[in-house]
Amino acid sequence: MAGSDEVNRNECKTVVPLHTWVLISNFKVSYHMLRRPDGTFERDLAEYMDRRVPANPRPVEGVSSFDHFIDLSVGLEARIYRAVAGNAAGAAEGAAALTLPILEFLGGAPSPDPLPVIIFFHGGSFAHSASSTTIYDNLCRQLVKLSKGVVVSVNYRRAPEHRYPCAYDDGWAALKWAQAQPFLRSGSDARLRVFLAGDSSGGNIAHHVAVRAAEEGIKIHGNILLNAMFGGVERTESERRLDGKYFVTLQDRDWYWKAYLPEDADRDHPACNPFGPNGRRLRGLPFAKSLIIVSGLDLTCDRQLGYAEGLREDGHDVKLVHREKATIGFYLLSNTNHYHEVMEEIAEFVRANLL
C-alpha cells in the first residue's frame, strides 16, 4: 500500500505544477487533521489554520472590497467586491474616509450601463473555508476584473454544525438580498443582472439556488460551476479509477456528505445527486444557462459530466468546458493554460448573457 501511495504521489507531481501540488497537498493534510472519525469537526483549529485576508476598502489593483451583514438573524455575511477607477481612494486617510465610499456604494443609484452581479459561493466541501479565505479572495478579485462587475461572496454557514439545507438557505437569502439592493441594478431598465457561481460545494449550492429561483420566477442570467460537488451511492468509473490519485479519496468525499446531509440520508439524497433516483428533473422550468467547468483528473468528473448531460436532456442551455488534464483547484493559481483559458471562458459567458 505504501508503494502504491508513492506511485500516486509521483504521478500526481508529473501532471500538476509544483505550486499547485504544494497548495492542494497542504490543504489535504490540514483537512485530514480537522475531520474527526465520529463525524464532528475541529472548528476552532480550522479557523486558526485557515489563511484569511481582511477586506480592503482602499482599492488594490483596481478592486475594493468590504464585508457586510445581509442577514443578522443567522449572522450571514458577504464580502462585496467592485471595480474602482484608479487607486484614488488609496490616498484617503482615516476610518471616515474609508467608510464613505462604502456607504455611497450601498446607497447608490442603478448603473446606467448593464452591470453583472456574480453571487459567488466558495468551496471547501461544505465544511472548510470562508469568504475571507485568501484563495477565494483572490479568485473573487479576478472575477471582478474579468466581468467588470460586482461580486458578492457569501460566507454561508458550514457543516457539520449547520447541515442541509442551511447552505442553500443562505444562498437563497443572498439572492433575495441582492434583489432588494438598488445599487446592484443596472441598465436602462434598472434590473438585477445576476449570475450564480461557485466551486466544489459552492457549485452545488449555486445549482440548488438556481433551481429555487427558476421555481419562483427569478431570472438568473447564468450559472458558473467549477468542479461542482455532486455524488451518489453507486460509484462511477472516474470515482473508482481516480480514488486517491489526485489529492482526493472517496473516503474524504463520503465524510463530507455524511457531515452535510440529513442524518438519515444517503448519497442519493437530491442535495448530493440532483438527477438521481430521488431527485427531480428540470424540464419545463426556466432554468438558467450554465457554464460547467470540469477537471478530468477530479475523481467526481463523471458526476459533473452527468449533471451537464442531465441539464441538456431536460432542454437547457449548457456550455461544457472539460479540461481533461486538469486537477481540482487549477483555477486558484494562474500557473497553467487551464487557468487562463477557463478565465476567458467565464468572461465570455458573462458578456454573452448579460443582456
Side-chain angles (χ1 to χ4, degrees):
M1 180 64 70
S4 176
D5 289 345
E6 184 64 29
V7 170
N8 287 342
R9 283 195 294 271
N10 290 336
E11 181 181 350
C12 181
K13 284 189 280 188
T14 62
V15 174
V16 184
L18 177 61
H19 288 175
T20 303
W21 187 85
V22 170
L23 175 71
I24 306 298
S25 294
N26 283 339
F27 282 140
K28 180 177 175 62
V29 170
S30 64
Y31 286 8
H32 183 73
M33 293 171 56
L34 299 171
R35 298 190 303 263
R36 298 187 184 120
D38 65 358
T40 58
F41 190 77
E42 296 277 6
R43 179 61 63 196
D44 289 342
L45 181 59
E47 297 298 287
Y48 176 77
M49 294 176 67
D50 192 16
R51 186 183 174 198
R52 298 181 180 178
V53 292
N56 65 299
R58 289 191 180 97
V60 175
E61 296 183 355
V63 178
S64 68
S65 66
F66 58 92
D67 295 327
H68 183 72
F69 279 102
I70 59 179
D71 187 346
L72 284 170
S73 68
V74 294
L76 179 59
E77 190 177 35
R79 178 163 291 184
I80 303 171
Y81 301 82
R82 61 166 178 155
V84 178
N87 280 346
E93 297 294 338
L98 293 178
T99 303
L100 184 57
I102 296 171
L103 294 177
E104 289 177 346
F105 184 46
L106 288 171
S111 166
D113 299 317
L115 179 77
V117 175
I118 299 174
I119 299 179
F120 179 80
F121 305 102
H122 66 78
S125 302
F126 294 104
H128 301 277
S129 298
S131 57
S132 58
T133 298
T134 301
I135 55 172
Y136 288 113
D137 186 81
N138 290 339
L139 179 56
C140 287
R141 292 176 184 284
Q142 182 62 20
L143 292 177
V144 170
K145 293 175 183 177
L146 61 87
S147 70
K148 315 301 183 188
V150 172
V151 172
V152 178
S153 180
V154 183
N155 201 38
Y156 59 87
R157 290 170 290 172
R158 292 159 299 172
E161 301 92 331
H162 302 283
R163 290 177 175 270
Y164 167 91
C166 288
Y168 302 159
D169 290 344
D170 290 348
W172 180 252
L175 176 59
K176 296 294 287 184
W177 174 85
Q179 270 198 308
Q181 307 308 310
F183 74 96
L184 293 178
R185 299 174 193 162
S186 64
S188 59
D189 50 0
R191 60 183 172 86
L192 181 68
R193 290 166 159 81
V194 66
F195 295 77
L196 302 178
D199 79 309
S200 178
S201 52
N204 178 291
I205 295 168
H207 163 76
H208 287 283
V209 173
V211 170
R212 187 169 175 183
E215 291 171 336
E216 300 203 13
I218 297 176
K219 180 175 175 58
I220 304 297
H221 282 249
N223 272 1
I224 303 168
L225 275 59
L226 293 146
N227 290 0
M229 182 175 166
F230 299 115
V233 170
E234 185 178 348
R235 302 302 190 189
T236 66
E237 189 278 332
S238 68
E239 287 173 334
R240 294 188 297 269
R241 173 171 48 88
L242 297 172
D243 183 18
K245 286 193 174 180
Y246 294 94
F247 308 113
V248 180
T249 68
L250 286 173
Q251 185 178 19
D252 298 337
R253 278 286 177 257
D254 291 352
W255 189 97
Y256 290 114
W257 283 121
K258 188 174 181 180
Y260 179 64
L261 295 174
E263 291 187 8
D264 60 347
D266 64 19
R267 294 189 306 276
D268 279 336
H269 187 281
C272 178
N273 193 358
F275 298 147
N278 302 316
R280 58 163 296 187
R281 305 305 304 208
L282 303 181
R283 183 173 297 277
L285 273 182
F287 192 75
K289 294 181 179 180
S290 296
L291 174 63
I292 300 174
I293 313 296
V294 178
S295 299
L297 300 179
D298 177 356
L299 65 83
T300 66
C301 64
D302 282 353
R303 300 281 181 195
Q304 300 162 48
L305 295 172
Y307 169 76
E309 184 59 28
L311 289 179
R312 284 174 172 159
E313 288 175 357
D314 286 350
H316 299 296
D317 191 320
V318 175
K319 173 68 181 293
L320 176 65
V321 179
H322 185 192
R323 308 297 300 192
E324 294 186 9
K325 296 300 182 181
T327 64
I328 61 169
F330 76 86
Y331 44 82
L332 299 174
L333 292 174
S334 58
N335 58 349
T336 63
N337 288 337
H338 299 305
Y339 172 92
H340 293 287
E341 291 170 12
V342 162
M343 289 300 131
E344 182 51 41
E345 290 279 3
I346 294 173
E348 176 56 31
F349 180 77
V350 172
R351 284 193 298 267
N353 294 292
L354 183 56
L355 300 180

